[in-house]
């Protein structure tokens, strides 16, 4: 049966409205106005969540999409760093520190990063509005952040940037990190306590160096070149080059970002591609050992328009539409069904170990279209809409049944609005 996309769109609009947080923060009297991932479980502002919220808000009211990015940019620091969480409400700080494994750089923000989806979000806002003044307004902190990533997070100068904690990719408990995080995947109830202990180990090792981020990456405690992070970074650089042109910046700036985008793609192809397996592996540690766990991020370079078409074809035909791996009734699972760590029911009570996430499907949908696979893209969009119709606007979903899991009324699942608009016209 075709999905009732109108009902799903209405629910997405409801969640975007009900998750909106507004006020004046004790953080220097700054005014905040953003959509939180979940009022109960995640009441703060997260870096990549907000970028997805902005993309969804474009379909509701572009003024709100701009507001989301403006609010996020208040976290930009003079050296270019932008934190992964802004904790606007002081009264909720204690609960946050108890609940999440996070390291703070300030009472109001964390010391760590998340994937730079923001450049793609700003380009989407411009595509919808043609508002070049908005681009000129938000471009400087975004440009500085991309330059910060390059100067602080590429210690081996190979163009790929490194994360220093698993949650910097946004994929906190992905089994691809298990070995380096000293996590044994069973029994399931042990995974989360082991992860928490390992995070503490990282925090202790990093504590003396927090003010010198470039040194942390060379400590080699958890230095990780993540394929999904770098694919988003490469796509972001490509978007930045376009945004520079829109803003009327000197041509050399656009050229700088465009050529770096090409080099990131080339580095992924040269260092992460496995010709035999037909996927891209993350590189673990200073010695860059391929992390051979089949997660969705092994497919992520598909989002790069200039990816070698032969590789793109293999990613799709051998893996993405493979029913033993990723093409389950409600694709794309965060971990392939063929992996021993595949945990679709979330028995480990933590994230990214099997369930399907809407933000991943959103990126892969556009990647499929960029590589001429409109048929697969449309099927992915339809199944995503049906999954939400079945499971609700949840944080993630059982890829076999579509049952909703994790937080309810979850922010970035509303990015389905963009898929609905692409497939059915305005939702
Ligand atoms: C979880 C996710 C992370 C997300 C955050 C807020 O920690 O793993 O990617 O940003 O929740 O939704």
């Amino acid at each position: 049966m075709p999905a009732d996309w109108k009902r799903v769109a209405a629910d997405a609009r409801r969640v975007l409205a009900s998750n909106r947080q507004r006020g004046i923060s004790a953080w220097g009297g700054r005014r905040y106005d953003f959509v939180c991932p979940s009022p109960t479980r995640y009441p703060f502002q997260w870096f990549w969540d907000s970028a997805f919220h902005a993309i969804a808000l474009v379909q509701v009211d572009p003024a709100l999409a701009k507001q989301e990015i403006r609010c996020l940019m208040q976290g930009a620091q003079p050296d270019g760093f932008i934190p992964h969480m802004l904790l606007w409400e002081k009264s909720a700080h204690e609960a946050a520190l108890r609940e999440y494994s996070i390291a703070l750089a300030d009472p109001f923000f964390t010391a760590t990063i998340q994937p730079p989806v923001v450049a793609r979000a700003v380009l989407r806002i411009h595509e919808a509005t043609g508002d070049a003044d908005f681009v000129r307004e938000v471009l400087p902190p975004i440009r500085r952040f991309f330059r910060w990533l390059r100067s602080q997070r590429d210690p081996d100068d190979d163009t790929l940037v490194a994360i220093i904690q698993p949650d910097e990719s946004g994929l906190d408990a992905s089994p691809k990190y298990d070995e380096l995080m000293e996590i044994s995947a069973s029994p399931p109830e042990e995974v989360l306590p082991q992860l928490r202990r390992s995070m503490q180990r990282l925090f202790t090792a990093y504590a003396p160096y927090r003010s010198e981020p470039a040194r942390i990456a060379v400590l080699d405690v958890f230095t990780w070149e993540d394929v999904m992070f770098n694919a988003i970074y490469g796509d972001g650089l490509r978007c930045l080059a376009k945004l520079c042109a829109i803003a009327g910046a000197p041509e050399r700036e656009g050229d700088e970002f465009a050529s770096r985008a090409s080099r990131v793609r080339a580095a992924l192809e040269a260092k992460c591609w496995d010709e035999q397996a037909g996927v891209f592996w993350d590189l673990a540690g200073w010695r860059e050992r391929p992390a051979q766990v089949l997660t969705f991020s092994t497919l992520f370079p598909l989002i790069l328009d200039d990816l070698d078409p032969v590789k793109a074809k293999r990613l799709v035909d051998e893996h993405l539409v493979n029913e033993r791996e990723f093409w389950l009734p409600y694709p794309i699972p965060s971990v392939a069904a063929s992996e021993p760590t595949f945990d679709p029911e979330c028995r480990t009570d933590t994230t990214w170990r099997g369930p399907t996430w809407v933000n991943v499907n959103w990126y892969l949908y556009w990647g499929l279209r960029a590589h001429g696979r409109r048929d697969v893209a449309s099927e992915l969009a339809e199944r995503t809409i049906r999954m939400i119709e079945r499971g609700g606007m949840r944080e993630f979903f059982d890829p076999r049944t579509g049952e909703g899991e994790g937080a309810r009324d979850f922010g970035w699942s509303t990015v389905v609005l963009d898929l609905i608009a692409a497939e059915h016209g305005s939702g």
Side-chain angles (χ1 to χ4, degrees), residues 101-142:
S101 293
I102 49 175
L104 294 178
D106 175 282
F108 290 92
F109 57 84
T110 53
T112 42
I113 56 169
Q114 266 188 337
V117 180
V118 64
R120 171 57 65 189
V122 172
L123 189 60
R124 282 308 263 245
I125 293 172
H126 182 264
E127 281 162 4
T129 61
D131 185 350
D133 284 340
F134 172 69
V135 173
R136 273 189 284 276
E137 179 192 334
V138 296
L139 187 58
I142 297 174

Side-chain angles (χ1 to χ4, degrees), residues 47-48 51 69 72-73 76-83 113-123 138-155 157 159-162 228-244 253-254 256-265 303-304 363:
F47 187 61
W48 76 328
I69 302 292
L72 190 65
M73 288 303 112
Q77 299 302 300
D79 67 349
F81 171 73
I82 306 182
I113 56 169
Q114 266 188 337
V117 180
V118 64
R120 171 57 65 189
V122 172
L123 189 60
V138 296
L139 187 58
I142 297 174
R143 204 165 38 196
R144 275 199 300 276
F145 181 56
F146 275 80
R147 289 191 172 129
W148 182 94
L149 285 173
R150 181 186 178 208
S151 66
Q152 306 296 309
R153 288 305 184 84
D154 183 13
D157 205 20
T159 327
L160 300 177
V161 293
M228 184 205 72
F229 193 109
N230 277 284
I232 291 175
Y233 173 60
D235 177 64
L237 287 164
R238 188 69 66 200
C239 294
L240 258 191
K242 292 182 185 155
L243 292 171
C244 286
E253 286 207 344
E256 169 197 337
F257 295 120
S259 76
R260 207 175 306 149
S262 300
R263 275 183 283 144
V264 169
R265 191 258 311 137
I303 72 168
L304 303 173
Y363 258 120

Side-chain angles (χ1 to χ4, degrees), residues 37-38 42 44 46-49 53 84-85 100 114-115 167 169-173 351-352 357 359 395 410 412:
S38 148
Y42 307 107
F44 304 105
W46 269 262
F47 187 61
W48 76 328
D49 296 67
H53 298 164
H84 102 285
M85 272 173 81
Y100 320 116
Q114 266 188 337
D167 57 334
S169 67
L171 313 178
D172 313 23
T351 48
W352 303 102
W357 296 70
N359 63 332
E395 187 176 4
F410 188 69
W412 78 37

Side-chain angles (χ1 to χ4, degrees), residues 18-336:
S18 64
N19 288 18
R20 191 166 171 191
Q21 308 284 317
R22 273 182 287 188
I24 295 178
S25 172
W27 182 21
R30 288 172 177 80
R31 197 175 286 279
Y32 60 86
D33 184 346
F34 68 99
V35 173
C36 72
S38 148
T40 49
R41 208 177 281 191
Y42 307 107
F44 304 105
Q45 188 169 23
W46 269 262
F47 187 61
W48 76 328
D49 296 67
S50 256
F52 292 118
H53 298 164
I55 292 166
L57 285 166
V58 163
Q59 302 299 330
V60 177
D61 178 357
L64 293 177
K66 292 178 196 169
Q67 176 54 47
E68 185 83 16
I69 302 292
R70 286 192 179 109
C71 185
L72 190 65
M73 288 303 112
Q74 292 187 80
Q77 299 302 300
D79 67 349
F81 171 73
I82 306 182
H84 102 285
M85 272 173 81
L86 303 177
L87 294 86
W88 292 109
E89 267 310 320
K90 204 167 174 44
S91 58
H93 286 192
E94 257 175 52
L97 288 171
R98 254 195 329 271
E99 208 165 310
Y100 320 116
S101 293
I102 49 175
L104 294 178
D106 175 282
F108 290 92
F109 57 84
T110 53
T112 42
I113 56 169
Q114 266 188 337
V117 180
V118 64
R120 171 57 65 189
V122 172
L123 189 60
R124 282 308 263 245
I125 293 172
H126 182 264
E127 281 162 4
T129 61
D131 185 350
D133 284 340
F134 172 69
V135 173
R136 273 189 284 276
E137 179 192 334
V138 296
L139 187 58
I142 297 174
R143 204 165 38 196
R144 275 199 300 276
F145 181 56
F146 275 80
R147 289 191 172 129
W148 182 94
L149 285 173
R150 181 186 178 208
S151 66
Q152 306 296 309
R153 288 305 184 84
D154 183 13
D156 60 357
D157 205 20
D158 68 351
T159 327
L160 300 177
V161 293
I163 56 169
I164 57 164
Q165 290 175 199
D167 57 334
E168 285 204 317
S169 67
L171 313 178
D172 313 23
S174 172
K176 66 188 182 178
Y177 305 129
D178 280 1
E179 202 181 318
L180 212 54
M181 290 299 278
E182 299 169 8
I183 291 172
S184 54
S186 67
E189 59 276 13
E190 265 307 302
V191 170
L192 192 52
Q194 289 179 66
L195 175 64
R196 292 212 165 112
R197 279 197 295 276
S198 242
M199 290 297 284
Q200 285 309 320
R201 177 170 60 83
L202 302 193
F203 293 156
T204 307
Y206 295 162
Y209 306 99
R210 279 293 180 198
S211 57
E212 307 163 88
R215 284 189 64 182
I216 292 184
V218 293
L219 293 176
D220 198 17
V221 178
F222 184 95
T223 299
W224 189 284
E225 290 175 335
D226 192 285
V227 167
M228 184 205 72
F229 193 109
N230 277 284
I232 291 175
Y233 173 60
D235 177 64
L237 287 164
R238 188 69 66 200
C239 294
L240 258 191
K242 292 182 185 155
L243 292 171
C244 286
I246 291 162
E251 215 170 289
R252 65 182 152 71
E253 286 207 344
D255 292 349
E256 169 197 337
F257 295 120
S259 76
R260 207 175 306 149
S262 300
R263 275 183 283 144
V264 169
R265 191 258 311 137
L268 283 166
E269 290 183 344
K271 300 189 71 173
C272 303
W273 174 252
D274 180 336
E275 182 59 28
Q276 205 179 348
V279 289
F280 291 85
W281 302 122
D282 290 10
L283 302 176
W286 198 250
R287 285 171 39 223
E288 303 191 329
R289 281 201 314 139
Q292 296 177 340
V293 181
L294 208 52
T295 70
F296 75 91
S297 61
T298 63
L299 315 176
F300 230 68
L302 195 63
I303 72 168
L304 303 173
D305 297 1
D306 59 342
L307 181 70
D308 167 20
V310 178
K311 293 185 176 62
K313 189 168 176 355
R314 289 194 59 191
L315 289 176
V316 178
D317 292 342
E318 293 175 26
H319 301 286
L320 196 146
V321 298
N322 180 337
E323 291 180 355
R324 290 185 313 275
E325 295 179 358
F326 293 102
W327 201 245
L328 302 188
Y330 297 94
I332 305 292
S334 41
V335 176

Side-chain angles (χ1 to χ4, degrees), residues 334-354:
S334 41
V335 176
S338 52
E339 284 289 340
T341 48
F342 176 62
D343 175 24
E345 288 160 282
C346 200
R347 287 191 307 143
T348 49
D349 196 24
T350 182
T351 48
W352 303 102
R353 298 182 76 90

